[in-house]
């Protein structure tokens, strides 16, 4: 009889551990604006951001995982970031996702640790130095730089490079520097000019001085903190260079749809190399779309919904494929162990499978090509 009671107790402990393992506290820590310098459509992006999370929670529930989610959205300033990071830690979540900018993600190691911390889109090459458990679903800048150089080589083989970077963004500056170094190394006879600007001071920018050294047919790379400010700068440069028709490339994220966020004023060619989305032809996207339409009875309005959906599904899928259960292990620890196993087998776990290139015409993003 004593052995029977011990066995019942043991099975109860396993059952309790498994039940706890299947209930996950998810914290969303982010500034849900694609361009902090512009507040246009901010509520729409919040709704789209959270609708992707909600869709993933529904799919996870059908897989046997219960997720309780809480948002800790912050403003684009240190005081707000610290306050919301403190609030998030007090809630004691099992996993934290969001941290869409490299600046936030790199800073987050001062606040979080010893668990899975997921960025939906950070790309700075320095993130490889973050502690164990920190991972970004964004394609690293080292790969994006190679892709941009490949695109330029294929379509504008005789062009030099003119790089513009938002000075207040570490991610933009680091990307610009890395692109310049890589381009110079690969094309020793070509010139590279780098310029930095402040997004908040763009209206006072002396464009003539800023564009000094530009030559016709140079490819101008725009590294801004958001899509809105990227187009704003393109418009200013285009007006200054008239009647020359400049060529622009940007890898700025588009959280929205196939409409550019601002009107293109001027005559120029612009390509956006997307490192955020991609995968709309996959089974993952079909599952997302089917469930999204069941919940909202409509098509997704913005691309960010699939991005946040994938972030949640990345840890749900890790738990399913690489379970690591134990009586003494917490859900937080199980999540970390499973995610690290997933990354061991696939270092690019849940990252976009390829780059999408769009050409922007008449305020519409037109698909141009895929780059693998």
């Amino acid at each position: 009889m004593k052995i029977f009671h011990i066995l019942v107790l043991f099975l109860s402990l396993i059952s309790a551990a498994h039940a706890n393992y299947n209930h996950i506290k998810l914290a969303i820590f982010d500034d849900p604006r694609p361009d902090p310098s512009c507040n246009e459509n901010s509520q729409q992006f919040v709704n789209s951001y959270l609708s992707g999370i909600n869709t993933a929670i529904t799919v996870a529930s059908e897989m046997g995982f219960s997720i309780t989610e809480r948002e800790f959205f912050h403003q684009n300033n240190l005081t707000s970031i610290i306050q919301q990071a403190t609030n998030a830690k007090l809630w004691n979540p099992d996993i934290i996702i969001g941290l869409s900018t490299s600046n936030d993600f790199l800073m987050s190691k001062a606040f979080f640790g010893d668990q899975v911390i997921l960025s939906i889109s950070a790309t700075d090459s320095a993130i490889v130095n973050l502690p164990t458990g920190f991972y970004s679903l964004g394609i690293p800048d080292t790969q994006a730089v190679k892709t941009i150089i490949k695109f330029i080589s294929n379509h504008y083989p005789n062009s030099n490079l003119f790089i513009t970077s938002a000075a207040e963004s570490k991610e933009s500056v680091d990307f610009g520097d890395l692109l310049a170094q890589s381009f110079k190394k690969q094309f020793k006879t070509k010139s590279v000019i780098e310029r930095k600007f402040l997004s908040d001071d763009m209206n006072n920018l002396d464009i003539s001085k800023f564009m000094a050294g530009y030559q016709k047919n140079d490819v101008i790379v725009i590294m801004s903190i958001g899509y809105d400010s990227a187009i704003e700068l393109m418009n200013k440069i285009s007006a200054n260079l008239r009647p020359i028709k400049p060529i622009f490339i940007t890898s700025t994220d588009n959280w929205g749809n196939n409409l550019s966020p601002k009107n293109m004023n001027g005559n120029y060619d612009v390509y956006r190399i997307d490192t955020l989305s991609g995968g709309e032809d996959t089974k993952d996207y079909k599952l997302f779309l089917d469930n999204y339409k069941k919940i909202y009875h409509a098509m997704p309005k913005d691309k960010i919904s699939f991005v946040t959906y994938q972030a949640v599904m990345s840890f749900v899928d890790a738990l399913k494929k690489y379970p690591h259960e134990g009586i003494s292990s917490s859900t937080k620890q199980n999540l970390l162990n499973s995610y690290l196993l997933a990354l061991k087998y696939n270092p690019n776990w849940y990252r976009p499978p390829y780059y999408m290139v769009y050409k922007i015409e008449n305020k519409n993003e037109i698909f141009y090509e895929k780059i693998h």
Side-chain angles (χ1 to χ4, degrees):
M1 185 63 69
K2 183 180 288 187
I3 293 175
F4 175 76
H5 284 306
I6 292 172
L7 181 60
V8 169
L9 177 62
F10 180 73
L11 291 174
S12 298
L13 287 170
I14 291 177
S15 178
H18 186 74
N20 184 55
Y21 170 71
N22 280 3
H23 182 80
I24 302 162
K25 291 175 68 177
L26 167 64
I28 313 297
F29 181 80
D30 212 343
D31 180 351
R33 296 175 298 167
D35 190 337
S37 68
C38 179
N39 288 319
E40 293 178 16
N41 299 321
S42 58
Q43 188 56 52
Q44 177 184 318
F45 284 124
V46 170
N47 295 341
S48 295
Y49 190 112
L50 293 177
S51 65
I53 301 286
N54 190 45
T55 304
I57 288 174
T58 300
V59 174
S61 177
E62 295 172 357
M63 296 167 62
F65 297 97
S66 171
I67 300 175
T68 300
E69 173 266 330
R70 186 174 293 182
E71 300 111 46
F72 298 91
F73 289 152
H74 62 77
Q75 297 298 310
N76 187 36
N77 63 75
L78 188 57
T79 302
S80 178
I81 290 171
I82 292 173
Q83 181 60 61
Q84 286 295 69
T86 301
N87 293 340
K89 287 184 70 174
L90 287 172
W91 189 53
N92 192 28
D94 298 310
I95 185 167
I96 300 170
I97 73 170
L99 304 137
S100 53
T101 71
S102 293
N103 290 358
D104 279 4
F105 195 42
L106 291 167
M107 190 190 304
S108 67
K109 68 179 180 180
F111 310 120
F112 309 122
D114 301 323
Q115 63 186 124
V116 179
I117 312 291
L118 290 183
S119 168
I120 62 172
S121 57
T123 59
D124 194 290
S125 54
I127 65 179
V128 297
N129 300 318
L130 288 171
T132 301
F134 286 72
Y135 177 70
S136 176
L137 280 75
I139 301 174
D141 284 347
T142 49
Q143 295 301 314
V145 161
K146 291 178 183 178
T147 301
I148 287 179
I149 292 176
K150 181 178 181 180
F151 179 85
I152 294 171
S153 300
N154 289 342
H155 298 285
Y156 300 97
N158 300 316
S159 295
N160 296 312
L161 207 54
F162 193 102
I163 302 171
T164 70
S165 304
E168 71 274 21
S169 168
K170 183 181 185 300
E171 182 172 4
S172 297
V173 172
D174 286 354
F175 187 95
D177 290 344
L178 182 61
L179 177 59
Q181 293 166 11
S182 301
F183 193 84
K184 288 175 185 176
K185 185 176 181 180
Q186 192 166 336
F187 304 103
K188 293 180 171 59
T189 60
K190 294 185 180 181
S191 68
V192 179
I193 294 175
E194 289 188 83
R195 292 283 188 271
K196 296 178 177 61
F197 63 93
L198 286 170
S199 302
D200 289 343
D201 197 42
M202 201 182 295
N203 289 333
N204 300 316
L205 188 64
D206 186 335
I207 294 292
S208 295
K209 184 177 179 181
F210 185 74
M211 294 304 297
Y214 167 85
Q215 300 177 56
K216 185 179 180 181
N217 297 324
D218 284 357
V219 171
I220 306 171
V221 176
I222 304 287
M223 292 308 304
S224 62
I225 61 172
Y227 203 175
D228 298 69
S229 49
I231 293 179
E232 186 179 347
L233 183 57
M234 291 179 207
N235 288 342
K236 289 179 179 296
I237 292 174
S238 175
N240 175 260
L241 296 180
R242 194 180 294 132
I244 295 173
K245 183 180 182 180
I247 304 154
F248 294 104
I249 293 176
T250 183
S251 61
T252 302
D253 293 336
N254 177 16
W255 285 24
N257 44 53
N258 289 332
L259 293 176
S260 62
K262 282 184 175 291
N263 287 323
M264 293 170 56
N265 299 323
N267 185 26
Y268 55 86
D269 288 330
V270 53
Y271 303 90
R272 191 179 67 81
I273 298 179
D274 192 347
T275 64
L276 180 70
S277 54
E280 284 80 1
D281 53 356
T282 62
K283 291 180 180 178
D284 288 341
Y285 189 80
K286 186 179 186 303
L287 180 64
F288 158 73
L289 192 60
D290 289 346
N291 281 278
Y292 188 100
K293 289 191 290 187
K294 285 179 186 177
I295 297 169
Y296 296 102
H297 308 290
M299 294 289 287
K301 291 182 179 179
D302 299 303
K303 295 179 181 180
I304 191 61
S305 297
F306 183 52
V307 175
T308 55
Y309 167 87
Q310 286 287 82
V312 175
M313 293 308 300
S314 75
F315 69 78
V316 171
D317 203 19
L319 284 170
K320 180 183 176 183
K321 290 184 178 179
Y322 307 102
H324 191 282
E325 299 182 46
I327 294 174
S328 61
S329 295
S330 65
T331 302
K332 187 183 297 185
Q333 187 63 46
N334 285 330
L335 272 164
L336 179 59
N337 292 336
S338 293
Y339 214 95
L340 291 178
L341 272 175
L343 292 175
K344 179 181 177 180
Y345 289 106
N346 181 2
N348 289 308
W349 180 254
Y350 266 76
R351 283 176 175 161
Y354 44 72
Y355 291 87
M356 299 282 285
V357 181
Y358 298 93
K359 188 173 184 182
I360 307 173
E361 297 178 353
N362 301 320
K363 209 184 175 185
N364 285 287
E365 287 196 342
I366 310 298
F367 170 73
Y368 192 76
E369 66 180 12
K370 288 181 184 177
I371 301 179
H372 289 271

